[in-house]
Amino acid sequence: MTNVSISCRDLSLRFPVYGVDAKSLKKHLAKIAVGGKLGSHHGSTEVTAISGLNLELKAGDRLGLIGHNGSGKTTLLRALSGAYEPDEGSIEVNGHIAALLDLSLGIDPTATGFDNIRLRGRIAGLTAKQVDERLDEIAEFSGLGPFLAMPVKTYSAGMQARLAFAAATAVEADVLLMDEWIAVGDADFQKLAHRRLLKLVERAGILVLASHDVELLRLYCNKVMRMEGGVASPVTDIKKLDELMAA
Amino acid sequence: MDTATHMLRTGRRGTLFEAQMALRDLRTSVERIDLARSLAWHDVVSRYRGSILGPLWITLSMGLMILGIGVLWGGLFRVPVHEFVPLVAVGIVFFGFVTTTINEGCDTFVQAAGMLSQTALPMFTFVWRTVLRNLINLGHHVVIVGAVLVWAGLWAGANYPAAALGFIFLVINVAWISMLVAIISARFRDIPQAVASVTQAAAIMTPVYWPPDRIPEKYRWILDFNPFYHLLQAVRAPLIGKAVEPHSYLVLALMALIGWGLVFSLFANTRRRIVHYL
């Protein structure tokens, strides 16, 4: 697909904060009853996660997102994946989106490895047939062999990570969204995982990778954007990363 | 992750736009109903993993309850066992579907928080998941209904098309109630408890365990104003050789229209926010 693109215009995203208190119906009713008084605090219960973000990406762009914790990187990735709706502005994405934000998505510890691969594939939008076609390849890559017929709860943490990684990366994507470069398992598997991710990135038209690791971003990205308090810097060339960080 | 290759998301653009987006969510969920079915099957299988009888355990406990109530209460009400047991059996099985679909509706979005916060899956998918999961379980319990109807000699006289029609009305109505509580429960965590109390009270106020024709005329309104009564009667009456009162269909049709209208507009207004409630 050559016309892969991401376009965000004046994107703003706000989180209403529903505290433990606010979630109770009693408080809500009390709020209605006392009218404006408590209502005046209403404005403070929203956190602005992203404000006025503009972003244009086309095929071949490998964008690194850098910024402190809570600067809005993950929120932006979730918005790009379609999970969060913008409050203002727009997001337009052309191409199949694959979001590798949380490897454990949809993993059920009581189900077998095979069942989890199927479930994960279905959530990612594959049909039952497509999942079955890929099952062998995923199974082989995971290296878990006969363990795949056992419940995931019997796996070690490393084995679980292998399974999750193998299942999550068995997708075809034009737009790949990643929260941190996921390197999992023992040294051998990390090498394999690394190669598989690189292939996935090569196939994808666009990569958006959020990371704190400057060296990692230099390695995989050709563009970089710094986020701070929900405000994004202009997209710059990765060569100017040092200047961007100093700014 | 979305199978669509084009995605456009914008801020609020007025009521009509929000309704269109809600409708699109619904349409996508129907196109991908297979996913809801897979999730529902997965739920059933994983809940009963390691057990031999699986959902049939519930069937078994329902069977025991029917036997106990059918025989004992039948004696108390002085209704012949062959009349009373079918009434209670069909009542418990289908009313059980109503209450569990509504009670489990409270968890629909809360349980799906992980998926909703990082994929573009339609929200309706999770509503269907809850409904389909309960339909699968009902499929197990229906065995009781079949057995009892055969035992009581009612199977030949049952009006199956009418029962099927009633069942469609039942599912359509239960689905909107389930979605309603799903949205409100995501926002207010008190709701699941309130819902459980209401469904429990409904099970007592509705003639599930007692013959509706025993109610004195002056208390008849308790039945007429009880939506659950109409839901149950539409399915049960045809199966046990009785006729559905025509006004029950009117009530059910109105309920479905108003209910879905209400829930859909609530969904259109909260769709963007639900993921933040969780």
Side-chain angles (χ1 to χ4, degrees):
Chain A
M1 199 177 194
T2 47
N3 55 347
V4 181
S5 68
I6 293 181
S7 165
C8 299
R9 297 212 175 90
D10 300 321
L11 175 68
S12 286
L13 242 148
R14 287 184 294 269
F15 286 163
V17 179
Y18 303 101
V20 181
D21 274 359
K23 261 183 184 152
S24 137
L25 190 60
K26 193 173 76 187
K27 298 275 171 155
H28 197 74
L29 292 177
K31 208 170 2 188
I32 297 168
V34 298
K37 269 187 190 168
L38 276 172
S40 64
H41 295 287
H42 199 71
S44 66
T45 56
E46 275 196 341
V47 172
T48 303
I50 295 178
S51 69
L53 182 138
N54 282 290
L55 179 64
E56 297 286 336
L57 295 175
K58 53 183 195 324
D61 284 346
R62 312 262 178 262
L63 178 73
L65 293 177
I66 198 155
H68 294 295
N69 296 125
S71 58
K73 304 187 298 290
T74 304
T75 304
L76 177 60
L77 289 175
R78 287 185 174 183
L80 290 174
S81 80
Y84 288 175
E85 300 269 341
D87 285 291
E88 279 155 38
S90 67
I91 304 172
E92 197 172 358
V93 179
N94 280 305
H96 273 281
I97 304 167
L100 303 186
L101 304 185
D102 176 6
L103 278 184
S104 63
L105 173 73
I107 295 287
D108 174 357
T110 62
T112 65
F114 281 123
D115 283 345
N116 271 298
I117 294 174
R118 286 197 190 95
L119 193 66
R120 176 74 201 221
R122 299 306 306 276
I123 294 169
L126 301 178
T127 62
K129 201 168 148 249
Q130 284 172 320
V131 175
D132 282 338
E133 283 166 7
R134 284 165 212 213
L135 203 57
D136 287 341
E137 187 265 331
I138 300 171
E140 197 195 322
F141 178 76
S142 74
L144 293 169
F147 283 100
L148 284 171
M150 309 240 279
V152 168
K153 64 181 174 193
T154 64
Y155 292 15
S156 72
M159 287 163 75
Q160 284 190 23
R162 277 179 174 232
L163 175 78
F165 181 87
T169 50
V171 290
E172 276 148 23
D174 304 315
V175 175
L176 188 62
L177 309 172
M178 283 177 70
D179 204 357
E180 292 295 336
W181 189 260
I182 328 152
V184 291
D186 48 33
D188 283 346
F189 191 71
Q190 277 193 16
K191 252 183 245 163
L192 281 173
H194 186 79
R195 247 179 277 151
R196 187 173 171 99
L197 277 180
L198 276 185
K199 231 188 258 171
L200 204 62
V201 170
E202 273 165 31
R203 276 205 309 253
I206 297 178
L207 167 76
V208 182
L209 168 67
S211 178
H212 296 285
D213 188 339
V214 177
E215 291 314 309
L216 193 82
L217 292 179
R218 269 191 232 279
L219 211 55
Y220 298 110
C221 301
N222 54 19
K223 291 184 171 179
V224 69
M225 184 167 87
R226 185 180 175 193
M227 299 202 57
E228 211 176 305
V231 181
S233 73
V235 175
T236 47
D237 194 279
I238 192 78
K239 292 187 190 97
K240 293 178 185 155
L241 182 59
D242 289 326
E243 294 162 43
L244 191 69
M245 293 310 289
Chain B
M1 278 163 262
D2 200 344
T3 42
T5 53
H6 177 254
M7 181 185 87
L8 177 64
R9 295 290 157 95
T10 65
R12 284 183 193 275
R13 283 186 185 168
T15 316
L16 189 68
F17 180 74
E18 294 304 306
Q20 276 173 355
M21 291 300 282
L23 206 60
R24 184 149 87 183
D25 187 287
L26 172 62
R27 209 178 49 222
T28 318
S29 78
V30 173
E31 284 164 7
R32 295 185 63 184
I33 194 73
D34 234 30
L35 173 64
R37 217 193 51 207
S38 297
L39 290 169
W41 265 112
H42 181 85
D43 287 342
V44 174
V45 171
S46 67
R47 189 177 301 180
Y48 296 103
R49 200 181 307 281
S51 106
I52 297 165
L53 290 182
L56 289 174
W57 270 114
I58 313 273
T59 310
L60 205 67
S61 83
M62 274 184 174
L64 280 174
M65 198 161 133
I66 289 162
L67 202 68
I69 293 178
V71 174
L72 183 67
W73 294 22
L76 290 175
F77 288 124
R78 295 179 207 290
V79 182
V81 174
H82 274 73
E83 234 176 82
F84 194 63
V85 170
L87 178 96
V88 174
V90 182
I92 287 179
V93 168
F94 284 96
F95 205 77
F97 169 76
V98 172
T99 50
T100 52
T101 310
I102 295 173
N103 288 344
E104 290 179 9
C106 297
D107 283 333
T108 294
F109 293 135
V110 177
Q111 191 192 30
M115 282 187 237
L116 287 174
S117 62
Q118 49 186 317
T119 64
L121 291 178
M123 308 200 104
F124 266 103
T125 292
F126 299 95
V127 177
W128 306 146
R129 172 196 197 172
T130 302
V131 173
L132 289 173
R133 178 174 65 225
N134 280 284
L135 280 173
I136 293 169
N137 286 334
L138 177 66
H140 291 84
H141 309 331
V142 147
V143 175
I144 300 178
V145 173
V148 168
L149 290 183
V150 169
W151 166 79
L154 288 169
W155 61 276
N159 184 351
Y160 297 107
L165 177 71
F167 185 63
I168 292 169
F169 270 115
L170 178 104
V171 174
I172 292 175
N173 277 299
V174 167
W176 75 254
I177 303 174
S178 181
M179 183 167 185
L180 177 72
V181 300
I183 298 174
I184 310 179
S185 303
R187 177 69 182 83
F188 301 107
R189 300 298 160 98
D190 308 73
I191 297 298
Q193 277 78 10
V195 169
S197 315
V198 170
T199 50
Q200 198 176 21
I204 292 166
M205 300 295 284
T206 309
V208 181
Y209 311 112
W210 44 276
D213 44 19
R214 282 303 176 91
I215 201 159
E217 202 51 42
K218 68 171 176 175
Y219 294 122
R220 198 34 234 202
W221 58 270
I222 293 181
L223 296 186
D224 284 333
F225 286 98
N226 179 355
F228 293 104
Y229 168 71
H230 300 287
L231 279 178
L232 182 60
Q233 280 304 91
V235 182
R236 181 166 68 181
L239 285 178
I240 57 173
K242 305 230 163 94
V244 181
E245 297 147 289
H247 75 272
S248 279
Y249 288 122
L250 184 70
V251 170
L252 292 179
L254 277 178
M255 222 173 111
L257 271 176
I258 297 170
W260 270 113
L262 179 86
V263 168
F264 191 79
S265 51
L266 178 68
F267 176 65
N269 276 301
T270 54
R271 187 183 53 86
R272 294 167 178 277
R273 285 282 167 243
I274 291 173
V275 65
H276 300 305
Y277 295 159
L278 303 170

